[in-house]
């Protein structure tokens, strides 16, 4: 982010279906098997019905919309070969496939993150108003919560998401993660305690977030150091994600004084033509900076006790494509 620097596959991935009802890599022959030569068949219809749910499961597990879309394509390829007469609960079956594919990819992403340049932040999503209306869903996809979930093991994260967000029973989760129901109960208890100790304290209303965001924006635009100090918590942490492509703080900046002074100093380096506006990002108001009309930076806030305790600035252009259109999420 300039003000803080210190130095869905083809049409299928976007949720659009082809002429024969195929999804992703499903070819015409495979589509024919499942559609009976018509436009859609029961397999495709079930997948379409639950697509937003499956995407949400994958995104909450991975923190990456692009990887979540890849998981959905892999899920479809496996679902297309399933004998539907053997499936008692299509929703649960699809969630199980998605979870297993996401777990595999999550372990791969963990290795990628080890060599990531600077801090790794989740991929921001421009979300529809109905996401914000579902308080529990909005909380689970907030940037702050997604970062908390990053501290869980892959299995803990899967169990937490499926139990706490989607309210699946322990038997269903056990099938998805290849554990016994008793083991899943223990994992869920451990993950729940881990998250509770690290999540923001107390619910924050949309109005409170908007008020804090407006105060933050005004202070940055005017270079008001005291205004920033008034809204930043003493222990505030600033994280920047440029992915080694755009300038961003490479390490966390901790403390209101350091963060405020860095922001004020960076104000003079904001390019001419930069605009700042608010948008619904991951179910919450966030600040979007555009340079010559193009999304340059997304800044999300974490609030505790009315003060900003976390600032998350995503600048990596590879993570900003889902800011161009609203993404549908559901539980």
């Amino acid at each position: 982010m300039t003000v803080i620097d210190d130095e869905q596959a083809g049409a299928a991935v976007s949720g659009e279906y082809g002429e024969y009802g195929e999804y992703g890599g499903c070819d015409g022959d495979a589509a024919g098997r499942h559609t009976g030569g018509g436009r859609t068949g029961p397999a495709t219809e079930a997948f379409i019905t639950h697509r937003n749910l499956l995407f949400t499961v994958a995104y909450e597990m991975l923190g990456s919309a692009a990887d979540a879309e890849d998981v959905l394509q892999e899920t479809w390829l496996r679902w297309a070969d399933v004998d539907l007469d053997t499936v008692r609960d299509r929703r649960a079956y699809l969630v199980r496939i998605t979870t297993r594919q996401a777990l595999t990819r999550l372990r791969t992403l963990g290795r990628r993150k080890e060599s990531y340049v600077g801090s790794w932040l989740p991929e921001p999503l421009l979300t529809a108003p109905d996401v914000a209306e579902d308080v529990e869903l909005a909380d689970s996809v907030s940037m702050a919560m997604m970062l908390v979930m990053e501290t869980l093991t892959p299995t803990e994260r899967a169990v937490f998401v499926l139990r706490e967000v989607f309210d699946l029973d322990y038997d269903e989760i056990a099938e998805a993660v290849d554990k016994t129901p008793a083991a899943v109960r223990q994992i869920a208890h451990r993950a729940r305690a881990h998250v509770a100790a690290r999540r923001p304290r107390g619910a924050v209303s949309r109005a409170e977030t908007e008020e804090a965001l407006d105060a933050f924006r005004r202070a940055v635009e005017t270079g008001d150091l005291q205004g920033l100090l008034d809204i930043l918590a003493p222990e505030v942490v600033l994280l920047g994600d440029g992915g080694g492509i755009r300038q961003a703080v490479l390490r966390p900046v901790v403390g209101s004084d350091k963060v405020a002074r860095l922001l004020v100093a960076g104000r003079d380096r904001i390019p001419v033509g930069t605009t700042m506006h608010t948008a619904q990002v991951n179910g919450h108001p966030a600040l979007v900076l555009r340079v010559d009309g193009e999304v340059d930076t997304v800044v999300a806030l974490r609030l505790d006790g009315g003060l900003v305790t976390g600032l998350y600035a995503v600048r990596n252009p590879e993570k900003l494509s889902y800011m161009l259109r609203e993404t549908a999420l559901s539980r």
Side-chain angles (χ1 to χ4, degrees):
M1 177 180 179
T2 304
V3 299
I4 59 174
D5 61 31
D6 67 356
E7 300 264 285
Q8 245 175 137
V13 165
S14 64
E16 297 171 10
Y17 294 81
E19 190 65 28
Y20 301 99
E22 70 270 27
Y23 180 89
C26 183
D27 59 26
D29 291 340
R33 291 198 300 272
H34 294 283
T35 63
R39 186 166 181 79
T40 62
T44 302
E45 290 172 356
F47 193 90
I48 294 172
T49 297
H50 300 299
R51 184 189 186 283
N52 293 342
L53 163 70
L54 302 178
F55 176 86
T56 307
V57 169
Y59 175 72
E60 292 207 21
M61 286 182 60
L62 300 170
S64 165
D67 284 294
E69 290 287 6
D70 287 345
V71 163
L72 258 64
Q73 186 172 15
E74 292 162 2
T75 296
W76 165 255
L77 292 174
R78 285 156 179 78
W79 174 245
D81 286 331
V82 172
D83 180 356
L84 297 187
D85 291 337
T86 67
V87 178
R88 178 177 57 84
D89 186 333
R90 295 177 181 179
R91 176 182 183 273
Y93 200 104
L94 281 163
V95 169
R96 184 161 73 243
I97 299 173
T98 300
T99 300
R100 289 176 175 174
Q101 296 305 313
L103 274 170
T104 298
R105 188 165 290 251
L106 186 57
R107 295 179 177 114
T108 300
L109 286 176
R111 292 191 290 273
R112 278 193 228 160
K113 291 172 189 174
E114 292 175 1
S115 58
Y116 196 80
V117 178
S119 299
W120 184 94
L121 292 174
E123 191 171 352
L125 305 179
L126 183 65
T127 48
D130 62 338
V131 176
E133 293 167 5
D134 185 337
V135 176
E136 291 184 359
L137 176 60
D139 176 65
S140 69
V141 297
S142 69
M143 194 72 74
M145 179 56 74
M146 297 286 281
L147 283 171
V148 170
M149 289 195 290
E150 281 292 312
T151 64
L152 299 173
T153 67
T155 301
E156 286 175 340
R157 186 164 183 169
V159 170
F160 181 86
V161 167
L162 296 180
R163 180 61 183 173
E164 300 300 315
V165 181
F166 298 97
D167 198 31
L168 269 64
D169 63 44
Y170 292 110
D171 290 339
E172 288 179 296
I173 300 173
E175 289 187 29
V177 299
D178 292 323
K179 301 285 184 183
T180 66
V184 166
R185 287 179 181 274
Q186 292 179 336
I187 294 169
H189 176 76
R190 186 168 65 244
R192 193 180 302 117
H194 183 95
V195 170
R198 292 161 176 80
R199 73 191 307 166
R201 299 182 295 275
V204 180
S205 70
R206 176 175 176 176
E208 289 175 305
T209 303
E210 289 177 340
E211 183 179 352
L213 194 62
D214 286 343
F216 174 78
R217 178 177 61 181
R218 288 195 303 269
V220 170
E221 287 178 329
T222 61
D224 183 359
L225 180 62
Q226 188 57 52
L228 284 168
L229 292 172
D230 289 342
I231 192 63
L232 298 177
E235 72 281 8
V236 63
V237 177
L238 166 65
L239 298 176
D241 181 345
I245 302 172
R246 295 274 180 84
Q247 280 193 316
V249 291
L250 294 176
R251 294 172 297 279
V253 179
V254 183
S256 56
D257 187 68
K258 288 182 179 179
V259 171
R261 293 185 183 280
L262 183 60
L263 290 169
V264 170
R267 174 176 171 270
D268 293 335
R269 294 192 290 275
I270 298 177
V272 174
T274 298
T275 62
M276 297 186 191
H277 69 278
T278 59
Q280 288 296 308
V281 177
N282 289 53
H284 296 270
L287 186 64
V288 178
L289 279 70
R290 293 177 178 269
V291 177
D292 296 327
E294 299 292 327
V295 177
D296 179 83
T297 308
V298 175
V299 183
L301 309 182
R302 167 175 168 154
L303 291 176
D304 286 290
L307 296 176
V308 177
T309 58
L311 281 168
Y312 314 119
V314 182
R315 296 205 70 217
N316 184 347
E318 296 178 354
K319 292 186 175 185
L320 298 176
S321 63
Y322 282 78
M323 290 299 300
L324 303 180
R325 68 180 186 278
E326 290 183 352
T327 296
L329 303 175
S330 70
R331 291 196 293 155

